[in-house]
Amino acid sequence: MSGWWCTGLRWPDVEPVLGWERGDGTGPGRVSVLAYGRELGFRAEGERHCTGARGNPCPVGAVVPVRSTGARCAECARLDRAHSVAADTIADDPRTYRVYLAWFGPGMVKVGITGEARGAARLREQGAVVFSWLGRGPLMAARRTEELLRSALGVPDRIPYARKRAARDALPCEAERAAEIEGLYRRAAALEGAGWPEALERLPFAAVDHAGVFGLAGAGPSARAVTGLVDGGVVAGRLVAAAGPDLHLETPDAGIVVLDTRLVTGWDLVGADPRAGVSVPVVAVGGGGVQDGLF
């Protein structure tokens, strides 16, 4: 392997970055700060391999499916999941967590939790167009609040990612977006005294809108989404927006194509002409065809 493996799109701040590591495991990694209007191009080579778990390489270098968003073999996926917050295996975690309400499109609001030290990075990683904090406290109190909202208000903790992606092309105005999430916040706040954990401090409502951060206002509608890379396949174009794990690329022959960078992880990548367009399988946005592994 002579190229680089992409470790995915990250949102440490309001600027998206792509993480990279050498495909042969040598040398330090690096990041590429992305800017809207920039041209990007790369070609996949060989086979897609498991990316390992928790910073450790896959012991067998397993080949993984090209359409999987996890890029992990079954054993590495199990190890990674076992140490995650979502697995509820670290009940004595001393860190402070926050409960949030996230809005992805009309009628698509979910509840979730994230470590307070991470700030809003988790919301940007999920592609939340708008969010508001709801409360803060210990992990188990945050978990109980999440369950309370699911049962009392019917608020999901997961939304299929294909629905989130499709909703970005027809967003209502900023005021309408904020109003919908504020309505849910008020319903959630009314539950204090009715099962709300005492250890969870309620936080005031404040809508944070990411449409500008994601570059969605001037991006234009997305026609197609990549479903997986192939050996020799090229993805190239001008970056017009980014949201969650997705890059929205304006291509010379296929309009705006969305690339879920989770599909890129585990591939050996080399540079390609940014004007080369897309020569990998695609599907109409909203048409499915990719696992929805991001909440």
Side-chain angles (χ1 to χ4, degrees):
M1 300 178 187
S2 58
W4 290 84
W5 281 12
C6 179
T7 56
L9 186 61
R10 307 173 190 167
W11 292 90
D13 207 335
V14 294
E15 288 185 317
V17 302
L18 282 176
W20 300 91
E21 62 184 19
R22 294 290 303 189
D24 58 9
T26 63
R30 66 183 186 184
V31 297
S32 302
V33 178
L34 301 179
Y36 302 135
R38 175 184 177 183
E39 292 186 324
L40 305 173
F42 58 83
R43 183 178 71 253
E45 294 188 338
E47 297 178 305
R48 190 186 190 198
H49 291 86
C50 175
T51 56
R54 299 284 155 177
N56 300 304
C58 177
V60 297
V63 173
V64 295
V66 300
R67 294 165 68 93
S68 166
T69 55
R72 291 188 175 95
C73 66
E75 180 62 18
C76 287
R78 184 189 66 79
L79 291 173
D80 187 72
R81 177 74 178 178
H83 293 87
S84 72
V85 172
D88 283 335
T89 58
I90 46 176
D92 58 347
D93 191 328
R95 294 171 294 182
T96 299
Y97 285 81
R98 289 200 174 203
V99 183
Y100 61 79
L101 299 172
W103 185 95
F104 300 91
M108 283 188 283
V109 183
K110 59 153 283 187
V111 60
I113 69 171
T114 185
E116 185 170 69
R118 295 202 67 206
R122 179 63 177 148
L123 283 304
R124 295 188 290 270
E125 290 169 357
Q126 294 184 67
V129 181
V130 187
F131 82 93
S132 175
W133 300 120
L134 179 62
R136 63 186 297 273
L139 175 59
M140 289 299 102
R143 275 282 179 238
R144 287 194 296 272
T145 304
E146 185 181 45
E147 294 169 1
L148 174 65
L149 268 62
R150 288 174 56 193
S151 60
L153 302 182
V155 182
D157 63 345
R158 303 185 184 206
I159 296 175
Y161 196 75
R163 290 185 59 205
K164 300 178 187 179
R165 179 181 292 136
R168 294 180 200 147
D169 287 341
L171 296 175
C173 69
E174 185 173 347
E176 290 182 39
R177 300 194 292 259
E180 184 172 348
I181 199 169
E182 183 177 15
L184 182 59
Y185 174 91
R186 295 188 183 283
R187 292 173 60 201
L191 294 173
E192 284 190 285
W196 185 286
E198 293 183 3
L200 194 87
E201 171 192 356
R202 183 162 64 88
L203 297 173
F205 175 78
V208 179
D209 198 294
H210 284 148
V213 171
F214 291 158
L216 298 177
S222 303
R224 298 171 179 83
V226 172
T227 60
L229 303 188
V230 295
D231 181 21
V234 173
V235 177
R238 185 175 67 89
L239 182 66
V240 294
D246 287 349
L247 299 179
H248 293 232
L249 299 170
E250 184 177 38
T251 67
D253 54 358
I256 295 178
V257 174
V258 179
L259 172 65
D260 185 337
T261 57
R262 295 174 297 169
L263 296 173
V264 176
T265 56
W267 281 98
D268 195 31
L269 302 176
V270 296
D273 185 344
R275 297 164 295 179
V278 176
S279 64
V280 297
V282 296
V283 68
V285 169
V290 176
Q291 294 181 24
D292 296 313
L294 197 70
F295 301 162

